[in-house]
């Protein structure tokens, strides 16, 4: 496993937060990192997935929604990258800047990593799913367009009846504008050039309600974008790579089958 700084010379914007050691804040500004897991040469299929852990934009569930997934997927031939993105702290551009720069870095390292530069996807969980879907719907330069998206129980909509309030408060601030509300409801941002998407969620999720994924799926289909959605009967929210999730093995099978199409 290789660790790379996303901003080796320091980022343009700071979020006002610092790193922690043993749960205590330090004087070091929060840093964005890439953890790159590379498959064995004889297993490498030339494809890569960047994982964005969830945590409501207020923390990172980087173990079961990051490293554990990457460690499993790399054994199936995929270059797997865990993105430790900086938390927004009300600075909406910061997570997106980290994720877009991550895509650029991985594309620029495609030869070194033995991957195809047009077979790099982004995956995200909960608020990390919002970040991944923001990357897939807010791009204007193809260098930061993912080739596919995998969204696990994602935060998507800012509609009051569906929105995960904590995520949007952390991302946009307490009193965010109506223009931001519209801009970051990612189901409203889909075009025919939005990347092909896989959505996975649980029907009994009361934290980020299923309508978030359903609205995104419907918008993809209206724009003739290939989309697949699996809604498991139960599992609630945040199962990630958790063996206790009843549909864990099925989820892995479905995910590998879908990824095999690229």
């Amino acid at each position: 496993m290789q660790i790379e700084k996303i901003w080796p010379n320091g980022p343009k914007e700071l979020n006002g937060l610092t790193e922690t050691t043993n749960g205590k804040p330090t004087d070091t500004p929060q840093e964005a990192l890439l953890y790159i897991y590379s498959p064995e040469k004889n297993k490498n299929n030339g494809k890569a997935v960047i994982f964005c852990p969830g945590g409501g934009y207020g923390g990172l569930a980087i173990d079961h929604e990051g490293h554990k997934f990457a460690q499993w997927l790399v054994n199936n031939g995929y270059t797997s990258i865990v993105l430790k993105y900086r938390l927004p702290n009300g600075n909406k551009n910061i997570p997106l800047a980290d994720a877009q720069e991550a895509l650029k870095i991985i594309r620029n390292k495609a030869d070194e990593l033995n991957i195809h530069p047009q077979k790099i996807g982004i995956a995200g969980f909960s608020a990390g799913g919002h970040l991944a879907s923001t990357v897939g719907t807010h791009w204007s330069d193809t260098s930061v367009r993912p080739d596919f998206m995998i969204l696990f129980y994602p935060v998507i909509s800012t509609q009051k009846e569906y929105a995960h309030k904590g995520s949007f408060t952390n991302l946009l601030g307490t009193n965010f504008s109506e223009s931001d509300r519209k801009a970051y409801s990612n189901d409203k941002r889909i075009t025919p050039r939005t990347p092909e998407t896989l959505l996975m969620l649980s029907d009994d999720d009361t934290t980020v309600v299923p309508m978030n994924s359903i609205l995104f799926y419907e918008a993809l289909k209206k724009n003739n974008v290939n989309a697949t959605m699996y809604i498991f009967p139960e599992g609630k929210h945040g199962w990630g790579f958790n063996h206790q999730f009843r549909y864990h093995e099925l989820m892995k099978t479905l995910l590998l089958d879908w990824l095999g199409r690229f």
Side-chain angles (χ1 to χ4, degrees):
M1 191 258 292
Q2 172 185 350
I3 302 175
E4 284 237 1
K5 291 183 178 182
I6 290 181
W7 308 105
N9 299 316
K12 294 177 182 177
E13 295 179 280
L14 296 175
N15 60 1
L17 301 174
T18 61
E19 296 291 347
T20 58
T21 301
N22 298 323
K24 296 181 180 179
T26 67
D27 294 328
T28 306
Q30 206 171 72
E31 193 165 44
L33 299 172
L34 292 175
Y35 299 88
I36 304 171
Y37 293 85
S38 295
E40 296 176 14
K41 285 186 178 180
N42 62 336
K43 289 185 177 180
N44 193 331
N45 60 22
K47 305 173 190 178
V49 180
I50 299 171
F51 289 96
C52 304
Y57 281 126
L60 290 182
I62 202 165
D63 187 23
H64 74 291
E65 293 180 348
H67 292 295
K68 286 184 178 178
F69 244 106
Q71 288 160 0
W72 165 71
L73 197 60
V74 74
N75 288 327
N76 286 276
Y78 293 83
T79 299
S80 303
I81 304 103
V82 179
L83 170 60
K84 176 186 175 289
Y85 57 91
R86 292 170 299 148
L87 302 174
N89 195 27
N91 298 278
K92 61 190 178 187
N93 297 323
I94 284 177
L96 180 58
D98 290 352
Q100 288 180 330
E101 190 66 15
L103 261 169
K104 288 181 183 178
I105 290 170
I106 298 303
R107 280 214 167 99
N108 288 336
K109 293 171 74 69
D111 286 345
E112 177 187 333
L113 295 170
N114 294 313
I115 58 176
H116 193 293
Q118 271 71 57
K119 291 187 177 182
I120 301 170
I122 194 162
F125 306 77
S126 193
H130 184 267
L131 175 56
S133 67
T134 303
V135 175
T137 58
H138 287 236
W139 60 273
S140 56
D141 180 343
T142 54
S143 69
V144 294
R145 178 191 183 273
D147 297 300
F148 55 86
M149 293 190 289
I150 307 166
L151 307 178
F152 297 87
Y153 39 87
V155 173
I156 294 289
S157 176
T158 58
Q159 285 184 233
K160 289 183 180 179
E161 62 267 44
Y162 308 134
H164 186 255
K165 185 177 179 181
S167 292
F168 288 113
T169 298
N170 288 329
L171 178 64
L172 303 173
T174 305
N175 298 307
F176 53 86
S177 66
E178 187 60 27
S179 62
D180 276 349
R181 182 187 299 278
K182 291 178 180 177
Y184 286 88
S185 194
N186 288 336
D187 57 307
K188 308 296 186 186
R189 301 276 309 191
I190 292 169
T191 74
R193 297 196 67 197
T194 299
E196 186 168 347
T197 302
L198 170 66
L199 297 125
M200 288 186 158
L201 61 146
S202 296
D203 185 62
D204 61 352
D205 190 341
T206 56
T207 303
V208 177
V209 296
M211 280 304 296
N212 281 268
S213 294
I214 292 167
L215 289 170
F216 199 80
Y217 175 83
E218 288 180 341
L220 289 166
K221 300 315 295 178
K222 284 177 183 176
N223 282 275
N224 296 313
V225 177
N226 290 336
T228 302
M229 181 166 60
Y230 294 115
I231 305 178
F232 301 109
E234 59 187 67
K236 299 191 182 297
H237 188 74
W239 30 265
F241 203 78
N242 185 342
H243 293 273
Q244 280 69 51
F245 174 47
R246 181 175 177 181
Y247 302 98
H248 179 73
E249 293 301 323
L250 176 59
M251 178 273 295
K252 291 194 296 182
T253 299
L254 294 171
L255 177 55
L256 287 176
D257 179 72
W258 187 84
L259 280 170
R261 299 172 64 246
F262 293 92

